[in-house]
Amino acid sequence: MKRFISIAVSVTILLIIYSKIDFQGLINVFKNCDPFLMFISLGMVFPITMFTSWRLQQLMPKGTSLGFLEANRLILGASVLNMVLPSKMGDIAKAYFLRERGHLSGSLSLSLVIFEKTSDMLSLLLWCVFGLVIYSDKNSLFWIMTAAVASGLIFGLLLLGSRKFAQIFFILSQKIAPKKIKQKLQNLQASWEEMHNYFWGDKQQLFKIASTSIFIWFLHLLQIWLFILALRAFTPFWVNLALSPLAILAGLLPLTFAGVGTRDAALIFFYQPYFDAATGAALGLLCTSRYFLPAIIGLPFLGQMMGAMGKISAKK
């Protein structure tokens, strides 16, 4: 039901957006695009996926192995499930496969996935803060967003870097959380503590994963900038570092299907000083393709991942 509601919200927002823009203008934006840059920008899905798969390999403990092709299958298969299932269940299936194929304990495989997702979020926030700091045209709204994103980054770094802070956070969260969520928070706390013990025990590996995550998100933001150029529009790259992460964060709000609608509206709003609404809507469609293309490529692995989901459900 939640998935149907999120799809309905996405469709409603898109209907509102497209009722207010010139639809023929949107078609013309794609007709007049630069085909070479469009090919390059869409093709960046492949190096981004490969770097993400390589990072997953580096997350594996010493003495275990995960082949590069297998890592790609896990990343792409999780992309499919994350499109159709709530609460990022594809990543949970990926944790199951890491346990089965990499001979890891269940809690450690979940810890690896938690650390991977945390690294992604902190890297996105880092680039967003960097872009907002150097973004010169800030009004009161942008100052508020800069403070909010910087606060989120600091909170995440404390949660990741300080065992004591993480422990206090989970204890307080469990005290105020509803009964249904308390058990999930307890399980998450156990995995978080194991993640701390594992990653902080090897500072060199921690630096490698963190720097790789920052580079992967640089590629994501570069891809969005190339989308803009492919649409024959222009935004300075450092401005894109501030605005595109804000749109991505808007898409992460648990309101719509895969961020469709909220992300599109945010792109049109934030980039309005640089190009018109039709180009912003076209950029929204291209940004959505960043999630759909890996999911389409991962469809051959869907049966394998659904089998994992079935085993997970059977154990509940």
Side-chain angles (χ1 to χ4, degrees):
M1 181 58 68
K2 289 181 181 179
R3 182 58 64 182
F4 283 121
I5 292 173
S6 67
I7 292 174
V9 173
S10 289
V11 171
T12 301
I13 295 175
L14 289 178
L15 288 175
I16 294 172
I17 290 174
Y18 290 127
S19 68
K20 294 182 178 296
I21 66 172
D22 178 11
F23 189 74
Q24 185 58 46
L26 173 63
I27 301 299
N28 290 335
V29 168
F30 281 111
K31 282 184 178 179
N32 297 326
C33 73
D34 185 321
F36 175 73
L37 280 177
M38 187 64 72
F39 176 79
I40 294 297
S41 55
L42 289 172
M44 284 192 68
V45 165
F46 294 100
I48 289 172
T49 300
M50 287 190 287
F51 273 110
T52 306
S53 301
W54 182 82
R55 181 184 62 180
L56 183 60
Q57 284 185 291
Q58 305 310 304
L59 285 167
M60 298 296 290
K62 294 177 181 178
T64 63
S65 63
L66 180 69
F68 184 65
L69 291 178
E70 183 68 17
N72 275 278
R73 282 196 289 268
L74 289 176
I75 295 295
L76 293 171
S79 297
V80 182
L81 291 179
N82 284 337
M83 291 296 299
V84 298
L85 295 177
S87 304
K88 294 292 184 180
M89 289 297 288
D91 292 318
I92 297 177
K94 186 167 63 178
Y96 172 84
F97 266 88
L98 285 172
R99 186 188 71 180
E100 292 297 303
R101 303 295 177 88
H103 308 292
L104 305 178
S105 67
S107 59
L108 181 56
S109 62
L110 183 59
S111 299
L112 297 186
V113 171
I114 290 172
F115 184 78
E116 181 187 34
K117 295 293 106 182
T118 304
S119 298
D120 274 334
M121 177 56 71
L122 292 180
S123 298
L124 175 61
L125 293 177
L126 179 65
W127 280 116
C128 189
V129 169
F130 176 75
L132 286 170
V133 167
I134 63 176
Y135 183 56
S136 58
D137 191 20
K138 283 197 286 286
N139 54 27
S140 56
L141 175 62
F142 274 92
W143 280 113
I144 292 171
M145 289 188 292
T146 302
V149 174
S151 299
L153 177 62
I154 293 170
F155 175 80
L157 290 174
L158 285 173
L159 201 61
L160 188 65
S162 170
R163 288 186 178 89
K164 189 172 183 180
F165 182 85
Q167 187 177 28
I168 293 172
F169 168 76
F170 281 113
I171 290 173
L172 292 177
S173 298
Q174 290 171 39
K175 285 184 178 180
I176 64 175
K179 188 176 292 185
K180 290 182 179 179
I181 302 178
K182 279 186 178 180
Q183 184 60 48
K184 293 182 178 179
L185 285 172
Q186 290 174 0
N187 295 337
L188 180 59
Q189 182 180 7
S191 295
W192 198 271
E193 289 175 355
E194 185 167 3
M195 178 192 70
H196 267 279
N197 295 331
Y198 172 65
F199 285 102
W200 284 102
D202 189 343
K203 300 293 196 306
Q204 185 176 358
Q205 186 190 31
L206 181 66
F207 176 78
K208 183 193 296 183
I209 300 301
S211 57
T212 303
S213 299
I214 293 170
F215 177 69
I216 287 172
W217 268 102
F218 173 80
L219 293 179
H220 281 294
L221 303 180
L222 175 62
Q223 182 186 32
I224 295 174
W225 186 63
L226 290 176
F227 283 153
I228 295 172
L229 298 183
L231 295 172
R232 299 193 186 279
F234 180 74
T235 304
F237 183 66
W238 59 88
V239 172
N240 184 68
L241 290 179
L243 301 185
S244 56
L246 290 175
I248 291 171
L249 290 171
L252 293 177
L253 295 174
L255 303 172
T256 56
F257 173 71
V260 175
T262 50
R263 184 173 52 247
D264 300 71
L267 287 167
I268 292 171
F269 175 75
F270 288 131
Y271 283 95
Q272 59 184 334
Y274 300 96
F275 42 77
D276 59 24
T279 305
L283 179 60
L285 291 173
L286 290 174
C287 286
T288 299
S289 73
R290 297 174 59 251
Y291 302 93
F292 276 100
L293 284 177
I296 292 171
I297 298 169
L299 281 175
F301 315 121
L302 181 59
Q304 191 180 30
M305 297 298 287
M306 288 301 292
M309 294 305 299
K311 292 182 180 180
I312 292 170
S313 300
K315 293 181 179 181
K316 288 184 177 180

